[in-house]
Amino acid sequence: LCAGSIRAKNVKNIMLKNILDACGGAVGFWTIGYAFAYGGADASKITFIGNSDFVLANIHDGANLIGWFFQFAFAATAATIVAGTVAERCKFEAYIAYSLMLTGFVYPVVVHAIWSSSGFLSAFTDDKFLGSGMIDFAGSGVVHMTGGITALVAAKILGPRIGRFYDADGNELPEPVDFPPHSVALQVLGTFIL
């Protein structure tokens, strides 16, 4: 979807950034993210973040590893939501740093608050927030809220694409320059896959 929505000159760049979300996200979520999200979960004690199982230290059985992989897929999804927003506007180095930070810390803190049995918004804790806690269906709140808010912040920080509303010297253009999509076929295929 991203590759079809941008100019042809940036297709390789956005595809690499999407791969980085998977690779960098795996490193961030494996090293500290999963531990911050679920480590030390205990319904009788509310905590800000998890505090055990860093680098999956105590997770050895197949069922828990499958659970980690399932949760990693959500973390990588939250990161890829931002890819389309920062397309054609973000340097490679900044993007990998963002991806690691989102999957290693930001997203896990939100996950812990809502999905962990010791999160302060969780419906699975003994002391439920406002009497019911937050119930999230299939990640729609956690994943998309985290990705969407991160995308909004990134768009505000980065501003519009260079050459769209302002020239190279920073002067406002009389009319925005049209940046036609690279491939409508890829846009439709990407949408269908999603």
Side-chain angles (χ1 to χ4, degrees):
L1 176 60
C2 289
S5 299
I6 61 173
R7 294 174 288 179
K9 70 178 191 167
N10 292 315
V11 170
K12 288 180 186 175
N13 182 280
I14 197 67
M15 293 176 111
L16 180 59
K17 286 177 180 172
N18 277 281
I19 290 171
L20 282 177
D21 282 331
C23 299
V27 170
F29 201 67
W30 172 70
T31 54
I32 61 174
Y34 188 80
F36 284 161
Y38 294 106
D42 178 4
S44 65
K45 183 179 177 191
I46 303 297
T47 58
F48 176 66
I49 56 175
N51 57 9
S52 66
D53 299 332
F54 292 95
V55 206
L56 303 181
N58 298 315
I59 298 174
H60 304 292
D61 64 321
N64 283 328
L65 290 173
I66 290 170
W68 173 86
F69 186 79
F70 183 74
Q71 292 301 327
F72 151 70
F74 282 126
T77 300
T80 60
I81 289 171
V82 185
T85 302
V86 301
E88 302 184 310
R89 297 185 262 194
C90 185
K91 291 190 177 240
F92 179 79
E93 297 84 3
Y95 193 83
I96 189 81
Y98 135 79
S99 188
L100 286 167
M101 181 65 175
L102 186 75
T103 57
F105 183 73
V106 176
Y107 175 77
V109 168
V110 176
V111 166
H112 185 80
I114 297 169
W115 288 344
S116 173
S117 61
S118 57
F120 77 97
L121 293 175
S122 178
F124 309 108
T125 184
D126 296 336
D127 184 22
K128 295 174 178 43
F129 182 71
L130 296 177
S132 66
M134 180 179 170
I135 298 174
D136 180 41
F137 179 72
S140 58
V142 172
V143 176
H144 293 93
M145 176 193 64
T146 304
I149 289 173
T150 304
L152 180 65
V153 169
K156 181 67 177 163
I157 290 170
L158 294 174
R161 291 181 281 184
I162 295 172
R164 176 121 164 88
F165 299 103
Y166 300 93
D167 65 17
D169 297 325
N171 301 317
E172 189 171 351
L173 298 171
E175 287 189 31
V177 175
D178 189 29
F179 288 175
H182 167 250
S183 170
V184 174
L186 285 176
Q187 286 177 314
V188 172
L189 182 62
T191 302
F192 180 72
I193 291 170
L194 283 173

